Amino acid sequence: MSEDRASHGLTQWHGTTIIGVKRGDQTVVAGDGQVSMGNTVMKPNARKVRRIGEGGHVVAGFAGATADAFTLFERLERKLEQYSGQLMRAAVELAKDWRTDKYLRNLEALMIVADKDTLLVLTGNGDVLEPEGGIAAIGSGGNYALAAARAIADYEDNAETIATKAMQVAADICVFTNGNVTLERV
């Protein structure tokens, strides 16, 4: 949380762990269901992974401030409409706006987005990253999920299995991550 928000007594609700895994023609995005405000679990069954875009051909998951993430979902959907469903182009244009727009620059969220061809991480710094090895994770339990997924990927080729097991490991270790996992396939 930024110092400005903390010093003004504004506590934000945060969503936590998201993982994206791409293996061959399989891509999944999974997220836990926990939303926390400070050290308190406010909701254990939030849906932080959603289908967006015309026909739901893009899957997006968020970590960070919940209201900020919903703003980004809406903006990404508009960019997908504007650029005929081209995820890479929509993501780059959203990242440009996110970096340069005074309002968007203050949003505290990260996103993993995917379609049948592409898996990306979007950040407020204007980054659009294609993860090495087809595995990306964000949020407070993201590093646990990422490490687990990379280890599992050495002997497992199924993207859904990798994501599910990695989320299970993150939920066992990170207090801001739970086992109520939503998983969407692209």
Side-chain angles (χ1 to χ4, degrees), residues 65-145:
T66 306
D68 293 355
F70 285 117
T71 299
L72 293 170
F73 275 150
E74 290 170 9
R75 296 279 181 128
L76 182 57
E77 278 194 298
R78 280 190 243 145
K79 294 293 183 186
L80 285 166
E81 288 173 20
Q82 184 178 353
Y83 296 105
S84 304
Q86 298 174 50
L87 178 57
M88 182 65 83
R89 177 78 190 272
V92 168
E93 294 301 323
L94 174 64
K96 284 182 193 176
D97 290 352
W98 197 351
R99 186 176 185 145
T100 59
D101 182 275
K102 187 175 180 178
Y103 169 73
L104 291 178
R105 226 182 5 240
N106 291 318
L107 298 182
E108 296 180 4
L110 295 167
M111 296 177 73
I112 291 180
V113 297
D115 65 11
K116 64 181 180 62
D117 301 314
T118 309
L119 175 67
L120 302 170
V121 176
L122 308 180
T123 76
N125 295 329
D127 298 319
V128 178
L129 307 169
E130 273 191 286
E132 183 177 333
I135 300 171
I138 57 174
S140 58
N143 286 336
Y144 305 116

Side-chain angles (χ1 to χ4, degrees), residues 18-41:
I18 303 294
I19 189 165
V21 179
K22 183 168 182 49
R23 282 284 175 268
D25 62 350
Q26 272 189 326
T27 303
V28 299
V29 178
D32 75 312
Q34 184 165 307
V35 174
S36 305
M37 186 166 62
N39 292 325
T40 303
V41 175

